[in-house]
Amino acid sequence: MKARVTVTLRKGILDPQGKAIEGALKTQGLTGIESVRQGKVFDIELSETLVGTAETLLEEACRKLLANQVVEDFRIEILTEY
Amino acid sequence: MKARVTVTLRKGILDPQGKAIEGALKTQGLTGIESVRQGKVFDIELSETLVGTAETLLEEACRKLLANQVVEDFRIEILTEY
Amino acid sequence: MSADPPITPELVAAHGLKPDEYQRILTLIGREPSFTELGIFSAMWNEHCSYKSSRIHLRKLPTKAPWVIQGPGENAGVIDIGDGEACIFKMESHNHPSYIEPHQGAATGVGGILRDVFTMGARPVASLDLLRFGAPEHPLMRHLIAGVASGIGSYGNSFGVPTVGGSTKFDRRYNGNILVNAMAVGIARQDEIFYAKATGVGNPIVYLGSKTGRDGIHGATMASAAFEADAQEKRPTVQVGDPFAEKLLLEACLELMKTGAVIAIQDMGAAGLTSSAVEMGAKGNLGIELDLDAVPCREPGMSAYEMLLSESQERMLMVLAPEKAAEAEAVFRKWGLDFAIIGKTTDDLRFVIKHEGEIKADLPIKELGDEAPVYDRPSVLTPRPATIAADTIVPPISHGEALLRLIGSPDLASKLWITEQYDSLILGNTIQGPGGDAALIRLGDGPKGLALTADVTQRYCEADPYEGGKQAVTMAWRNLTAVGALPLAVTDNLNFGNPENPKIMGQFIGCLEGIGEACRALDFPIVSGNVSLYNASEGQDIPPTPAIGGVGLLEDASRGATLSIKRPGDAILLLGE
Amino acid sequence: MNAAVILFPGSNRENDVCRALEQASGKAPARVWHAEDYLPLGTDLVVLPGGFSYGDYLRCGAIAAQAPIMKAVAAHAARGGLVLGICNGFQILVESGLLPGILMRNANLRFLCRMQHLKIERTDTAFTSHYRPGQVIKVAIAHGEGNYVADEDTLARLEGDGRVAFRYCDAQGTLGGAANPNGSLHDIAGIYSENFNVLGLMPHPENLIEPIIGGTDGLPLFLSLAQFKKAA
Ligand SMILES: Nc1ncnc2c1ncn2[C@@H]1O[C@H](COP(=O)(O)OP(=O)(O)O)[C@@H](O)[C@H]1O
């Protein structure tokens, strides 16, 4: 089964990366871009076949490693096409 | 308008970060995880209101900066709720 | 915008103010404080800013010598190193933030201490760090160690200062309260040092650097936020470091200082805008008026309270010569940094805050600092341990086994895993980086050099605070002399448990007396430092850990001695008893 | 030799490399701000120094690669002018397409600062003429993203054309294994452009130019450059 985990910074947390990219896009003359915030995605292959078990497993992975919950939120999507 | 750009490594390109995370998850005893590949997301606010123009703008942003097309692919989604 | 919450005893308590401290506020201003004013008092009168538990004891430390240009009381200490040059340095802790989020906590600790040094006009040339972790097998410890090491590394590496030394030890009593102390060292011309003291009435107060967000607004907001509908949204957030912004800030500040535009400068550290503005005004015998509408904000709808207490990083406050304001702005724009005139100096000695057409605070500026409570907390001195005669002890294990245990102990193990994550070579002046008794760097193209060390043996301080304090100073002295330097001065970071516990207060006083005694005997004055109290979790206080940072000078750095044995056949000498 | 060192916001080893250039050539290089459109007249060598341009946010070197001055640098390279990119400079060169491949996170995901041995692959270039063929040198590395990655075709081309400049090795010159600090393919520490006038490398030869600082194995690179132009 395939899944995608998206980890984004919590609202209000400073995002130096996003800020620098935003600045770079603006100086490139890409007007119309107001703000950028950067996050991460993890594309994960699982040997698990039950959606429920896979979700539990991924949640544990997020809590343990993929996301830093002090500053980040995460979202898990099971990509059905497998 | 809000949009999300997802940048992922091309197939076949080595992903040391994904590999390391994969290894770490396995040593944490999270069996069932086969492979991990890491990518980036950019959550972007635009002052643009036309979907077509926004897409063109974002495509330019990706080509110029957000993705390195030697090794990366990108995908643009316009998040309608604005 | 929601209205400010009413001042209740609960709200006062949530701001860390005791009932008698609140009474003191009432007497001082003759009325009930506004919500914003309560926030200001809580920031100015907390332990971190006011040193209320430690102040009377710190006065006993020796801080003077002919080569001391500036002792404690400014952003950092300054000493004369000859040829018109000054060495500016300080150590500071970021213990609690590093426990909550080790990478960002440690990174912003490094950022803060670097700012203290370059605020005074110095270009940073080295940094060190003293780390105390819990038992390696503690479930959180791997995460904490990895995060702290990467945080210190990533900030210093990107900023571009070599991390040349430090100390790392382990003890289970740091399990719930690790220590992260960072020391920064910079060099300036003696006639180009900048201070925090504002001068001149009506001069513009300028905000520089990154924008203000709701970062690190202290726990008090949590309580007060309960009064607002969107409390969840506004919960205090972790400070995130941006070493890139700091590097730009460094270059912009140093460039600006050359133009003669800067009258006074202060970095926004703990308690951000509040303490920096109050300090500049109070030191210069001037009032300060701020109009918060002009403050560059990262998020919409920030209240006066939030702006005043935000601990967003990479920000500075300056008093500028008015005729140079445009020139100053151009420098900051070139470096892509925010620049805003947010107020002016006044002659009425008031700290006045305007926001959205309202006066949010109007307080006597000097009293905010001078009238902060001072405590002579009850103390119980640690009893002197009995002397043990070595020949009465039966060895519990064999020498061989003891040696194996020593080699296997985390305290003595190689710290390469940590120190290799630090760029110790940048600037091309590192003669000896991590791994020696003291670090050794060359100054500019030489021949002069500096020796630097940061360490303490908490085990000794716990057994006998007075002797342990003395030992910490003499160890720093020996480390410096061992590389061939003349020891010049000290910065310290006094990490202790809960001062409301008389035993802990006894440790504090004992260590300080020992430190003072050794510094006096060695002519080794303390020119800057920091106190970190309340290092305890779940009733477990940390061992007394007064970190000592030492700085020494070599007239010819090429004569310095490093640790490695140079060639076979050399004689080995043992000096001393 | 007239050298120009480009300053990007976040560059931080520019003074180190200026010192090395000056020591080798007797002449202080020009310092050029990234927002400029032109190089100083008569520039022989352009140096992109180490550092964290734009914080190394996004991808290392990606934002700097878009700087106005980079058009002038590309034109200079196209004319056969010399370009040296060290560490972050190497990252900028690959991001701007002046060199192939990409530098990814170190295999162990950690920043790594240490002394490192390198094997000099050839000594017939403007950058390496002062080294001995096959020489093993010791210089510093200090990077978090130095893991050189390129597709098979690119690697085959680099190898076939002899464009690998330096490889990670141990003190004896043995390649690979634990001597490879970051997982780089083919142990690559530096590569040349097709015409051998552009060099990108991760290690810092500029930090090893004096005995007191730990060695002089970096100096010949700067001497090669200094004298290359004098001879021409
Ligand atoms: N956190 C650190 N940062 C920089 N250098 C460190 C750090 N920890 C240890 N070191 C360096 O490693 C060496 C060993 O340190 P440590 O294990 O604390 O033992 P000691 O203090 O007894 O020398 C010292 O030279 C020190 O400078």
Side-chain angles (χ1 to χ4, degrees), chain C residues 127-133 148 152 163-170 181 410-416 418-419 422 432-439 452-456 475 479 563:
Chain C
S127 75
L128 298 90
D129 58 295
L130 178 132
L131 310 177
R132 293 293 178 265
F133 295 113
V148 165
I152 291 173
T163 305
V164 296
S167 155
T168 309
K169 301 278 181 237
F170 303 83
N181 294 177
D411 276 3
L412 296 186
S414 163
K415 303 303 185 313
L416 215 54
I418 292 174
T419 56
Y422 304 158
Q432 174 162 271
D437 287 317
L452 307 166
T453 170
D455 210 348
V456 57
M475 175 166 58
N479 282 339
L563 199 66

Side-chain angles (χ1 to χ4, degrees), chain D residues 1 17 20-21 24 45 84 86 118 120 125-131 137 139 165-166 192 199 201 203 205-206 208-209 216-228:
Chain D
M1 178 199 55
V17 80
L21 288 163
L45 166 71
L84 169 65
I86 303 174
L118 298 181
I120 312 271
T125 75
F127 303 88
T128 54
S129 60
H130 277 57
Y131 289 108
I137 63 168
V139 292
F166 308 103
Y192 296 109
L199 168 66
L201 78 167
E206 75 275 28
L208 272 295
I209 55 167
T216 54
D217 281 1
L219 194 56
L221 186 135
F222 299 98
L223 290 171
S224 305
L225 284 166
Q227 290 179 19
F228 177 77

